[in-house]
Structures are given as C-alpha cells and as structure tokens.
C-alpha cells in the first residue's frame, strides 16, 4: 500500500490550516443565461401551476362592462376620448372619498398621457382590460396647490402640446399655442386660492418633469390605485362611451 495519498492529504490540510488572515476574494466570474422560449418547460412545474393559471385567467376574463367603440390615446391632438375617461374616472371615484376625509372637493385632475398603456377595444370590457391600460402600481394622490402653481401646470401643458388627461380644467389656445383662456369648473383661476389637484404618485414625485407639484401646501395620500379606480368604475358602469370634447382645444385662424 502506497503512502502518497496520505502524504498529499496531510499536505493539503497544513496548507489550508495556514491560510493567511489577509487573503481576500478579488474576483467572481459568471455567465449570463438568457431566459427565452428556447428553454424547455418542466412538465411537473407546468402541471402544478396549471390550476392556478386557469383560475387567474378565468378571473381576468370576467366581463364587467361594455365599450361602444375602440378608444386610443392617439385619436386626438390635445384631448382624447380615452384620456378624458382616464381623468374623469379618477375624479368620479376619488372625489367622494376625498370629501368624506377632508370636507373639500377635488378641483381638477391631471395625469400623464404616457400612463395609458393600451387601447380599449369595442365590445366587452374585462378585468384584464383594466390591467392592460394601467399595468403600473400607480396610486392617486391629491395635492393642495395655490393657483399660482396651477398656472405653472398650465404653462407646462402649453409647452408639452400633448393630450395629457385632464378633468375639470378647461384650456383654450390660439393656433400658436398662446393661452386665450384657462378655467377650473368654468371659473377663472385665482393665484392665491388653494386648489385640490388629483394626480398619481409618479407625477407628484416629479415624473415627466412635472416639478410644479412640489410647490404645494399639502398632499393627501389616497391609498387608492388607479387600476382599482377603473375596476370600480367599470363594475358600476354598464356601458362606456367617452368623447373628445372642448377641455383642451386650439382655435383655428
């Protein structure tokens, strides 16, 4: 019997036992494994999750309302039917909650055009529809702002020239986008009055460069997701039929 293996083992133990305290790990190597359709599925995992997948899809495909037409965020220059629906739903669903908590009404709503992530197709509206148009976890906040800050908000909209969804706010501009008139609930904007503006937490925190929300008197966290507001609205509304209207218009020469 040879003793070489035993000598080698004793040598290795001595080396490991004498490891200096100042040795440090200086490099970790790895490789990227892409996840794609080319990866084979695991039949055991598939069979395990199949009942849950069926249940979730059944819930998502539950019909909760009906759309008279197809609505897209690209179907208007300064306001769109789906954008108007977006802002109006936020107002209608949030205002009763806000008033019960504060005694005040929401004065206007502003959310971002880019937040509308899908069309609403003509026909049945399902729970899945709400998740498609609002896949983000954005929540509604109500910001108390002086009229002077609201005027900054209007300046932003004039510069953006995009159909950001608004409600209760009316803006009229000329063909060069010079402001002709701006009003909230058909009344002129008072620079010293405090207005309650509903928006989402993304914009309140400066998203889309809407920094004017930081010039506020107070903020109310509603703990109400926009998606949930849509679900609540669709469930109680048999048929939706939003329109492009005059809430933000440009006059022709």
């Amino acid at each position: 019997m040879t003793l070489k293996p035993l000598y080698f083992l004793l040598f290795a133990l001595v080396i490991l036992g004498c490891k200096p305290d100042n040795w440090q790990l200086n490099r970790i190597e790895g490789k990227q494994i892409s996840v794609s359709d080319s990866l084979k599925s695991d039949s055991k995992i598939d069979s395990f999750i199949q009942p849950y997948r069926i249940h979730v899809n059944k819930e998502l495909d539950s019909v909760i309302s009906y759309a008279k037409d197809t609505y897209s965020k690209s179907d208007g220059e300064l306001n769109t039917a789906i954008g108007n629906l977006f802002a109006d739903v936020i107002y209608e669903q949030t205002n009763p909650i806000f008033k019960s908590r504060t005694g005040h009404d929401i004065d206007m709503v502003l959310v971002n055009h880019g937040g509308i992530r899908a069309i609403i197709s003509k026909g049945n509206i399902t729970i899945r529809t709400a998740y498609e148009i609002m896949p983000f976890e954005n929540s509604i906040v109500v910001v108390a702002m002086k009229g002077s800050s609201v005027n900054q908000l209007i300046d932003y909209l004039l510069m953006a020239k995009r159909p950001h969804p608004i409600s209760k706010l009316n803006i009229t501009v000329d063909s060069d986008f010079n402001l002709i008139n701006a009003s909230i609930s058909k009344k002129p904007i008072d620079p010293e009055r405090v207005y309650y503006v509903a928006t989402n937490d993304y914009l309140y925190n400066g998203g889309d460069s809407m920094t004017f929300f930081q010039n506020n008197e107070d903020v109310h966290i509603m703990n109400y997701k926009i998606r949930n507001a849509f679900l609540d609205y669709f469930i109680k509304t048999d048929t939706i039929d939003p329109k492009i209207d005059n809430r933000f218009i440009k006059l022709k020469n």
Side-chain angles (χ1 to χ4, degrees), residues 89-103:
V89 165
I90 291 173
Y91 178 83
E92 182 170 330
Q93 295 302 125
T94 310
N95 191 58
I97 302 170
F98 182 70
K99 189 165 186 176
S100 69
R101 294 181 187 177
T102 68

Side-chain angles (χ1 to χ4, degrees), residues 64 127 130-131 226-236:
I64 53 178
I127 292 175
Y131 278 83
I226 293 178
R227 183 193 305 121
N228 291 343
F230 263 99
L231 287 170
D232 292 341
Y233 178 82
F234 287 148
I235 288 170
K236 75 176 188 180

Side-chain angles (χ1 to χ4, degrees), residues 140-160:
I140 300 166
V141 300
V142 180
V143 186
M145 304 168 58
K146 281 194 172 181
S148 54
S149 294
V150 174
N151 285 331
Q152 293 176 20
L153 178 158
I154 293 168
D155 289 341
Y156 174 94
L157 294 176
L158 298 184
M159 292 180 62

Side-chain angles (χ1 to χ4, degrees), residues 92-141:
E92 182 170 330
Q93 295 302 125
T94 310
N95 191 58
I97 302 170
F98 182 70
K99 189 165 186 176
S100 69
R101 294 181 187 177
T102 68
H104 298 289
D105 285 303
I106 293 171
D107 292 295
M108 61 161 285
V109 178
L110 168 65
V111 286
N112 53 320
H113 178 258
I116 307 171
R117 304 303 289 186
I119 66 171
I120 296 178
S121 298
K122 181 178 180 178
N124 289 336
I125 292 174
T126 64
I127 292 175
R128 190 186 300 275
T129 306
Y131 278 83
E132 289 173 342
I133 60 177
M134 176 43 67
F136 309 118
E137 296 299 307
N138 291 133
S139 295
I140 300 166
V141 300

